[in-house]
Amino acid sequence: MTRVHPLVSPWGRFGLYSFFLDAPEPAIVDTGIASSPAEGMAPALEAIGRRIEDVRWILLTHGHIDHVGGAYALWELTGRRARVVIHEADAPMLRSRHAHVEEYLAGRGRYLADPDGAAKVAAATEAVISGEMEPDLLVRGGETIPLGGDVTVSVHAIPGHTPGSVAYVLDGQDDVFVGDAVQVHGAANGFPGYTDPVAYRASLERLRDEVRPRRLYLGHPYRRADGVPYGVELDAGQAREAIQESLDIEARVGAAARRCLREGPRETDSPYSPFAPVADGLGYAGDPTLEPSPFFTSMHAYRAELAREGTTHHG
């Protein structure tokens, strides 16, 4: 049995969670931000009698800054001996700070009407990404990663939140690490965020029906409908509930978004413009401008989906 230890580092409104896999070749799943390895992980590992220098695998669930930001710093603390793993579709986010600015401008930035938005994202990448780097191993899903002895981790592609989101499964004990791929009602912003709703649904169904976690480890304390957060370590029953609730919420959000888009999104004074009917219909009253702005990320994803189908109205 490979022990799993959650490691938490603070960041603004969020707790950033990484997970230590106490294998013969120890691994850490996700790396928080630049300060997380030295300020959060190292003391937590020392408290359980482990050393950050001994980590041999850095497994990244996806490319967002609060998951890859500490990768370079952690790699440095291991004496550059750890191997860094990420899906090929999200690898640009590890290689380049500017890729995060491009993602902002191509998606949610179109709706935020902030002339300084790109500069703010660029400043955030400088502050919280410890370094640009080339990964040691690019995955697509289907790979098996050896953690020494008879311990292995299998890789499953679960796109939707990002194109390169993956689940890492501790083989034989069905501990599943999904980063932000199970959104439920979102984290601090209270809204689920994804870049491809069709892929997001398919990935949730795959987790529910094929992967079937015995324990599910989340990147943040995602929230139920009543706003109460799950923890980041869910048992099998909680995992099924969180996955199903994520599917149910996406169905409601998707129905409202597609209705708004087919009627033609309209520019208004609403902070949710041009998607105000979606927020109204769902009863969503959160601040859509707070990063990571999941409301606009998801709305843009539905807009892109309908554009691909050739049925959207341009508003």
Side-chain angles (χ1 to χ4, degrees):
M1 179 82 173
T2 301
R3 293 285 306 275
V4 175
H5 299 275
L7 311 173
V8 64
S9 304
W11 185 41
R13 299 171 298 132
F14 299 96
L16 302 182
Y17 286 87
S18 304
F19 300 96
F20 176 70
L21 281 53
D22 198 359
E25 294 182 20
I28 286 181
V29 178
D30 286 338
T31 63
I33 59 170
S35 60
S36 301
E39 295 179 11
M41 297 176 200
L45 291 176
E46 190 176 339
I48 60 170
R50 298 292 182 266
R51 302 187 329 142
I52 203 165
E53 296 91 333
D54 296 333
V55 171
R56 289 296 171 266
W57 292 93
I58 298 170
L59 309 177
L60 302 171
T61 62
H62 66 293
H64 284 161
I65 59 174
D66 54 326
H67 294 260
V68 305
Y72 187 89
L74 176 56
W75 178 66
E76 289 269 279
L77 288 172
T78 70
R80 300 187 170 190
R81 290 192 292 273
R83 301 188 70 196
V84 180
V85 182
I86 195 169
H87 190 285
E88 62 181 11
D90 278 18
M93 313 294 270
L94 184 66
R95 295 183 177 123
S96 165
R97 288 183 172 95
H98 188 66
H100 298 266
V101 180
E102 292 177 339
E103 181 206 39
Y104 169 85
L105 291 171
R108 64 194 184 279
R110 297 184 182 194
Y111 310 100
L112 291 170
D114 183 353
D116 300 320
K120 289 175 184 173
V121 174
T125 66
E126 289 295 329
V128 304
I129 294 178
S130 53
E132 299 173 331
M133 66 186 305
E134 182 63 30
D136 295 283
L137 178 62
L138 290 173
V139 293
R140 292 181 172 181
E143 297 83 1
T144 299
I145 297 172
L147 303 189
D150 59 356
V151 181
T152 58
V153 166
S154 59
V155 183
H156 298 260
I158 49 169
H161 178 64
T162 67
S165 290
V166 299
Y168 296 104
V169 180
L170 262 172
D171 296 320
Q173 60 192 70
D174 295 329
D175 288 354
V176 183
F177 305 85
V178 295
D180 296 349
V182 178
Q183 287 272 308
V184 200
H185 275 269
N189 290 61
F191 202 88
Y194 35 82
T195 60
D196 183 333
V198 174
Y200 180 65
R201 285 195 70 82
S203 294
L204 289 167
E205 289 166 354
R206 184 179 186 195
L207 287 169
R208 180 191 65 192
D209 300 336
E210 298 174 32
V211 179
R212 296 198 297 269
R214 195 177 301 169
R215 277 176 298 275
L216 182 67
Y217 292 90
L218 305 177
H220 305 279
Y222 285 102
R223 299 176 186 226
R224 297 177 170 88
D226 60 7
V228 176
Y230 285 96
V232 295
E233 185 176 2
L234 281 59
D235 64 23
Q238 292 170 324
R240 282 193 301 273
E241 179 185 278
I243 292 166
Q244 187 58 52
E245 196 174 350
S246 298
L247 283 161
D248 294 345
I249 294 155
E250 188 285 319
R252 293 200 297 276
V253 172
R258 292 182 183 103
R259 186 164 55 246
C260 171
L261 287 160
R262 289 190 175 108
E263 290 172 357
R266 285 185 282 279
E267 299 294 339
T268 66
D269 292 335
S270 167
Y272 306 99
S273 174
F275 307 109
V278 180
D280 292 343
L282 296 169
Y284 177 60
D287 184 346
T289 67
L290 288 175
E291 283 290 296
S293 309
F295 178 81
F296 285 123
T297 295
S298 297
M299 291 306 101
H300 183 69
Y302 290 107
R303 190 173 215 170
E305 173 197 274
L306 284 173
R308 287 193 296 272
E309 295 171 3
T311 59
T312 192
H313 294 272
H314 297 284

